[in-house]
Amino acid sequence: MFCGCRVEFGAPPNTLVCPVCLGLPGALPVANRRAIALAIRAALALGSRVNALSVFARKHYFYPDLPKGYQITQYDRPLALGGSLELPSAGGPVRIRRLHVEEDAGKSLHDRFPQQTAVDLNRAGVPLIEVVTEPDLRSAAEARAFLGRLKQTLEYLEVSDCNMEEGSLRVDANVSVRPVGAREYAGKTEVKNMNSFSQLEKALEFEAERHIAILKSGGSVQHQTMLWDPARGEARPMRGKEEVHDYRYFSEPDLPPLTVSEEEVARIGRELPELPWQKTQRFVSAYGLPEYDAELLSATREFADYYEAVVGGGADAKTASNWLMGEVLAVCNERGVGIGALGVKPARLAELIGLVDGGSLSLGVGKQVFRRMVETGKRAEEVVREEGLRTVSDEGQLEAWVAEALAESPREVERYRNGEEKLLAHFIGQVMRKSSGRADPGRLREILLQALRG
Ligand SMILES: [Zn+2]
């Protein structure tokens, strides 16, 4: 945030450091203009007002991973105020209170040396934004949904990779409860530094229940900072020393106030990408997709772009949507990868969809072909040719399969002729197995009906 060190997760400890982030005497911070621009980008997407002037402040606390003894953040004059994020599942917008920029601290490593704690300062000085909401979330599930929406938005903006395992997105969650009908909330606790959706939800549920039990037994909830222990599934108060709230904020004397011109804000505003909810709306209006499809397809920019390229390649909009939400997503999930990593170009998927729509392949065989395309990197036509998968409409071949099938099930034939017409499905199934799914269903039905009439 205030020096030129590279940001890289997993680099050897203490290799991405300089006098500024190490807090050496005489080193002076300089605000990173690019980080500020990204923060403004996030603020604008959340509908926040960007302040023409904001002020950096020192937040003091003593901890081994904080060599300066203070963190540079923003306090009473943050970069941006207000805004909201629409969250349909919470019944409306969640208001944003503020958004500010700050630097990250280093990391304590407890697993490198027996009985000792080591410090890695690579992360010290990495730019962060902190987004604070108003208390508009009413359940752990809503909090989780909000975090999902925020993550999706930040990913669309390319402000952060939001990799939670690597700590690029972390959550401090405040919890309070109130008796039904009451206006005022009872005491509040804060659960710090969670880095997974499911842990956030569990921690909030745990805390809410703990608060309710305290209130029911006539006690009062102490304002406390809690640490969530995923292994034990419980939140524990942080030890006193880590919880001292006297941060002795004052304006950072080594940095001038941060000024942002109207022109700069306007320029960043013009460069904002289409946001998830805008894309969803456009998919509904431009492609006539159901809201459900549009929402799912716009889950990530990559998926949405891929979808549009398949449609651009000539596939019908709804058919392409069905393919993406069905077989394609299934293969992505099985492999645990994004759509780009499957190695099937959108135009190639459009070709395959064309073969199915044109009747050259049944849908079932088409899905098999897609899997082969992922495995081999070949085009649909090639897979079909090499593996003999094209739909069989040839009369002679179909008649031969039908004759075999009827000969194998004389009793079913008799029952069918005695009025059990639903057995038609049984014969269709038999021929489909014989043809490995390649029999043209329309022609097969005609020939089968004819043969059964006998
Ligand atoms: Zn540095």
Side-chain angles (χ1 to χ4, degrees):
M1 184 68 231
F2 303 108
C3 66
C5 286
R6 212 148 42 83
V7 175
E8 187 193 318
F9 182 82
N14 302 310
T15 53
L16 307 176
V17 291
C18 72
V20 174
C21 48
L22 290 176
L24 298 186
L28 287 173
V30 177
N32 175 343
R33 207 72 208 177
R34 172 79 182 139
I36 301 292
L38 289 174
I40 293 172
R41 200 173 161 84
L44 293 177
L46 297 172
S48 306
R49 290 188 313 283
V50 176
N51 291 322
L53 190 143
S54 61
V55 174
F56 290 108
R58 290 186 180 182
K59 175 184 178 178
H60 297 83
Y61 62 95
F62 180 74
Y63 209 64
D65 63 15
L66 191 72
K68 292 199 294 284
Y70 60 85
Q71 176 192 25
I72 306 178
T73 178
Q74 297 187 303
Y75 185 50
D76 48 5
R77 312 278 308 263
L79 177 70
L81 289 166
S84 65
L85 188 60
E86 201 62 45
L87 189 66
S89 58
V94 174
R95 290 169 300 153
I96 306 292
R97 181 178 296 173
R98 57 183 274 152
L99 183 153
H100 67 251
V101 292
E102 60 185 31
E103 60 177 342
D104 209 345
K107 257 193 300 199
S108 301
L109 307 175
H110 305 287
D111 54 359
R112 295 295 173 100
F113 306 102
Q115 309 297 324
Q116 289 181 51
T117 293
V119 173
D120 175 10
L121 294 172
N122 283 351
R123 204 179 67 182
V126 167
L128 293 180
I129 56 172
E130 187 160 281
V131 179
V132 184
T133 67
E134 296 292 346
D136 287 348
L137 296 162
R138 292 286 171 267
S139 68
E142 275 184 23
R144 183 187 182 140
F146 173 79
L147 183 62
R149 191 55 144 172
L150 182 64
K151 176 170 183 279
Q152 182 194 32
T153 306
L154 297 174
E155 283 169 347
Y156 259 68
L157 293 168
E158 292 174 339
V159 157
S160 166
D161 62 20
C162 293
N163 186 326
M164 296 187 81
E165 288 85 42
E166 296 182 359
S168 308
L169 178 64
R170 312 196 291 266
V171 187
D172 299 341
N174 290 280
V175 197
S176 43
V177 300
R178 60 183 169 188
V180 174
R183 282 184 59 85
E184 294 297 317
Y185 283 98
K188 174 171 83 172
T189 56
E190 178 176 15
V191 194
K192 280 212 107 51
N193 262 332
M194 283 165 295
N195 63 353
S196 101
F197 284 75
S198 61
Q199 296 306 330
L200 166 75
E201 202 172 351
K202 281 183 197 152
L204 287 177
E205 269 160 13
F206 176 91
E207 271 302 272
E209 270 170 38
R210 195 177 66 83
H211 288 200
I212 290 167
I214 292 172
L215 295 182
K216 279 190 171 163
S217 68
S220 63
V221 176
Q222 299 300 314
H223 189 114
Q224 262 179 328
T225 304
M226 313 291 286
L227 265 188
W228 175 246
D229 181 341
R232 294 199 194 166
E234 60 179 37
R236 288 194 307 272
M238 279 179 124
R239 279 176 289 124
K241 214 197 269 176
E242 299 161 21
E243 211 216 327
V244 178
H245 273 130
D246 182 11
Y247 289 132
R248 293 176 291 123
Y249 283 103
F250 62 77
S251 298
E252 167 61 63
D254 290 341
L255 283 164
L258 176 66
T259 54
V260 182
S261 70
E262 264 175 53
E263 294 74 48
E264 190 177 4
V265 173
R267 179 182 56 74
I268 294 171
R270 281 193 302 275
E271 288 167 2
L272 277 189
E274 186 178 36
L275 292 162
W277 49 93
Q278 295 165 338
K279 206 180 277 287
T280 302
Q281 277 320 304
R282 182 168 62 78
F283 279 11
V284 170
S285 55
Y287 299 115
L289 292 176
E291 189 93 16
Y292 175 85
D293 293 42
E295 188 105 15
L296 215 153
L297 293 171
S298 51
T300 66
R301 265 171 87 168
E302 186 188 32
F303 205 61
D305 290 348
Y306 190 98
Y307 168 74
E308 293 207 87
V310 174
V311 175
D316 168 69
K318 177 58 182 153
T319 310
S321 165
N322 292 344
W323 270 90
L324 258 73
M325 296 190 305
E327 200 63 11
V328 177
L329 198 54
V331 174
C332 288
N333 290 342
E334 281 164 24
R335 297 178 168 237
V337 297
I339 198 163
L342 291 183
V344 176
K345 292 211 173 72
R348 299 278 187 262
L349 178 59
E351 282 172 11
L352 170 63
I353 294 174
L355 289 177
V356 174
D357 278 359
S360 301
L361 297 178
S362 69
L363 182 58
V365 173
K367 288 177 179 175
Q368 288 175 38
V369 170
F370 177 71
R371 284 170 182 271
R372 294 294 292 152
M373 289 164 72
V374 173
E375 286 160 15
T376 63
K378 291 178 179 168
R379 297 170 72 149
E381 283 282 6
E382 265 180 285
V383 173
V384 169
R385 193 175 345 105
E386 287 175 12
E387 306 191 11
L389 293 172
R390 192 170 286 278
T391 296
V392 179
S393 323
D394 174 67
E395 204 115 336
Q397 178 62 68
L398 289 174
E399 279 170 359
W401 280 327
V402 165
E404 261 180 56
L406 298 192
E408 283 164 13
S409 325
R411 255 185 254 156
E412 282 79 4
V413 172
E414 207 180 307
R415 281 164 56 199
Y416 177 88
R417 287 179 177 155
N418 288 331
E420 268 189 73
E421 290 188 3
K422 65 176 187 335
L423 281 169
L424 184 67
H426 163 80
F427 300 118
I428 291 176
Q430 260 183 307
V431 175
M432 278 301 177
R433 272 194 296 283
K434 289 179 186 298
S435 69
S436 313
R438 290 177 301 137
D440 176 337
R443 291 294 298 131
L444 167 62
R445 201 181 156 84
E446 285 171 33
I447 292 171
L448 199 49
L449 284 171
Q450 213 167 17
L452 283 166
R453 248 178 255 130

mmCIF file with all atom_site columns, all heavy atoms in Angstrom, residues 3-5 16-18 20-21, ligand 1:
data_model
loop_
_atom_site.group_PDB
_atom_site.id
_atom_site.type_symbol
_atom_site.label_atom_id
_atom_site.label_alt_id
_atom_site.label_comp_id
_atom_site.label_asym_id
_atom_site.label_entity_id
_atom_site.label_seq_id
_atom_site.pdbx_PDB_ins_code
_atom_site.Cartn_x
_atom_site.Cartn_y
_atom_site.Cartn_z
_atom_site.occupancy
_atom_site.B_iso_or_equiv
_atom_site.pdbx_formal_charge
_atom_site.auth_seq_id
_atom_site.auth_comp_id
_atom_site.auth_asym_id
_atom_site.auth_atom_id
_atom_site.pdbx_PDB_model_num
ATOM   1  N  N   . CYS A 1 3  ? 4.546  1.004   -0.361 1.00 0.00 ? 3  CYS A N   1
ATOM   2  C  CA  . CYS A 1 3  ? 5.883  0.763   -0.890 1.00 0.00 ? 3  CYS A CA  1
ATOM   3  C  C   . CYS A 1 3  ? 5.736  0.015   -2.209 1.00 0.00 ? 3  CYS A C   1
ATOM   4  O  O   . CYS A 1 3  ? 4.627  -0.211  -2.675 1.00 0.00 ? 3  CYS A O   1
ATOM   5  C  CB  . CYS A 1 3  ? 6.733  -0.042  0.104  1.00 0.00 ? 3  CYS A CB  1
ATOM   6  S  SG  . CYS A 1 3  ? 6.139  -1.718  0.380  1.00 0.00 ? 3  CYS A SG  1
ATOM   7  N  N   . GLY A 1 4  ? 6.849  -0.396  -2.803 1.00 0.00 ? 4  GLY A N   1
ATOM   8  C  CA  . GLY A 1 4  ? 6.772  -1.033  -4.118 1.00 0.00 ? 4  GLY A CA  1
ATOM   9  C  C   . GLY A 1 4  ? 6.930  -2.539  -4.080 1.00 0.00 ? 4  GLY A C   1
ATOM   10 O  O   . GLY A 1 4  ? 7.170  -3.156  -5.113 1.00 0.00 ? 4  GLY A O   1
ATOM   11 N  N   . CYS A 1 5  ? 6.788  -3.152  -2.904 1.00 0.00 ? 5  CYS A N   1
ATOM   12 C  CA  . CYS A 1 5  ? 7.022  -4.597  -2.812 1.00 0.00 ? 5  CYS A CA  1
ATOM   13 C  C   . CYS A 1 5  ? 5.978  -5.381  -3.583 1.00 0.00 ? 5  CYS A C   1
ATOM   14 O  O   . CYS A 1 5  ? 4.815  -5.014  -3.623 1.00 0.00 ? 5  CYS A O   1
ATOM   15 C  CB  . CYS A 1 5  ? 6.995  -5.039  -1.354 1.00 0.00 ? 5  CYS A CB  1
ATOM   16 S  SG  . CYS A 1 5  ? 8.468  -4.542  -0.454 1.00 0.00 ? 5  CYS A SG  1
ATOM   17 N  N   . LEU A 1 16 ? 9.730  -10.599 0.405  1.00 0.00 ? 16 LEU A N   1
ATOM   18 C  CA  . LEU A 1 16 ? 9.061  -9.503  -0.296 1.00 0.00 ? 16 LEU A CA  1
ATOM   19 C  C   . LEU A 1 16 ? 8.909  -8.334  0.671  1.00 0.00 ? 16 LEU A C   1
ATOM   20 O  O   . LEU A 1 16 ? 7.800  -7.937  1.018  1.00 0.00 ? 16 LEU A O   1
ATOM   21 C  CB  . LEU A 1 16 ? 7.691  -9.959  -0.826 1.00 0.00 ? 16 LEU A CB  1
ATOM   22 C  CG  . LEU A 1 16 ? 7.695  -11.237 -1.679 1.00 0.00 ? 16 LEU A CG  1
ATOM   23 C  CD1 . LEU A 1 16 ? 6.281  -11.638 -2.065 1.00 0.00 ? 16 LEU A CD1 1
ATOM   24 C  CD2 . LEU A 1 16 ? 8.555  -11.059 -2.922 1.00 0.00 ? 16 LEU A CD2 1
ATOM   25 N  N   . VAL A 1 17 ? 10.022 -7.823  1.108  1.00 0.00 ? 17 VAL A N   1
ATOM   26 C  CA  . VAL A 1 17 ? 9.994  -6.763  2.120  1.00 0.00 ? 17 VAL A CA  1
ATOM   27 C  C   . VAL A 1 17 ? 10.999 -5.671  1.767  1.00 0.00 ? 17 VAL A C   1
ATOM   28 O  O   . VAL A 1 17 ? 11.929 -5.895  0.989  1.00 0.00 ? 17 VAL A O   1
ATOM   29 C  CB  . VAL A 1 17 ? 10.326 -7.318  3.528  1.00 0.00 ? 17 VAL A CB  1
ATOM   30 C  CG1 . VAL A 1 17 ? 9.219  -8.213  4.034  1.00 0.00 ? 17 VAL A CG1 1
ATOM   31 C  CG2 . VAL A 1 17 ? 11.650 -8.067  3.510  1.00 0.00 ? 17 VAL A CG2 1
ATOM   32 N  N   . CYS A 1 18 ? 10.778 -4.484  2.326  1.00 0.00 ? 18 CYS A N   1
ATOM   33 C  CA  . CYS A 1 18 ? 11.692 -3.365  2.113  1.00 0.00 ? 18 CYS A CA  1
ATOM   34 C  C   . CYS A 1 18 ? 11.681 -2.511  3.381  1.00 0.00 ? 18 CYS A C   1
ATOM   35 O  O   . CYS A 1 18 ? 10.896 -2.774  4.293  1.00 0.00 ? 18 CYS A O   1
ATOM   36 C  CB  . CYS A 1 18 ? 11.259 -2.556  0.890  1.00 0.00 ? 18 CYS A CB  1
ATOM   37 S  SG  . CYS A 1 18 ? 9.770  -1.593  1.175  1.00 0.00 ? 18 CYS A SG  1
ATOM   38 N  N   . VAL A 1 20 ? 10.343 0.202   4.090  1.00 0.00 ? 20 VAL A N   1
ATOM   39 C  CA  . VAL A 1 20 ? 9.055  0.819   4.421  1.00 0.00 ? 20 VAL A CA  1
ATOM   40 C  C   . VAL A 1 20 ? 8.140  -0.173  5.127  1.00 0.00 ? 20 VAL A C   1
ATOM   41 O  O   . VAL A 1 20 ? 7.611  0.107   6.211  1.00 0.00 ? 20 VAL A O   1
ATOM   42 C  CB  . VAL A 1 20 ? 8.362  1.386   3.158  1.00 0.00 ? 20 VAL A CB  1
ATOM   43 C  CG1 . VAL A 1 20 ? 6.957  1.885   3.487  1.00 0.00 ? 20 VAL A CG1 1
ATOM   44 C  CG2 . VAL A 1 20 ? 9.198  2.503   2.565  1.00 0.00 ? 20 VAL A CG2 1
ATOM   45 N  N   . CYS A 1 21 ? 7.981  -1.373  4.532  1.00 0.00 ? 21 CYS A N   1
ATOM   46 C  CA  . CYS A 1 21 ? 7.036  -2.301  5.179  1.00 0.00 ? 21 CYS A CA  1
ATOM   47 C  C   . CYS A 1 21 ? 7.646  -2.958  6.408  1.00 0.00 ? 21 CYS A C   1
ATOM   48 O  O   . CYS A 1 21 ? 6.927  -3.484  7.255  1.00 0.00 ? 21 CYS A O   1
ATOM   49 C  CB  . CYS A 1 21 ? 6.433  -3.301  4.187  1.00 0.00 ? 21 CYS A CB  1
ATOM   50 S  SG  . CYS A 1 21 ? 7.569  -4.137  3.094  1.00 0.00 ? 21 CYS A SG  1
HETATM 51 ZN ZN  . ZN  B 2 .  ? 7.830  -3.007  1.091  1.00 0.00 ? 1  ZN  B ZN  1
#
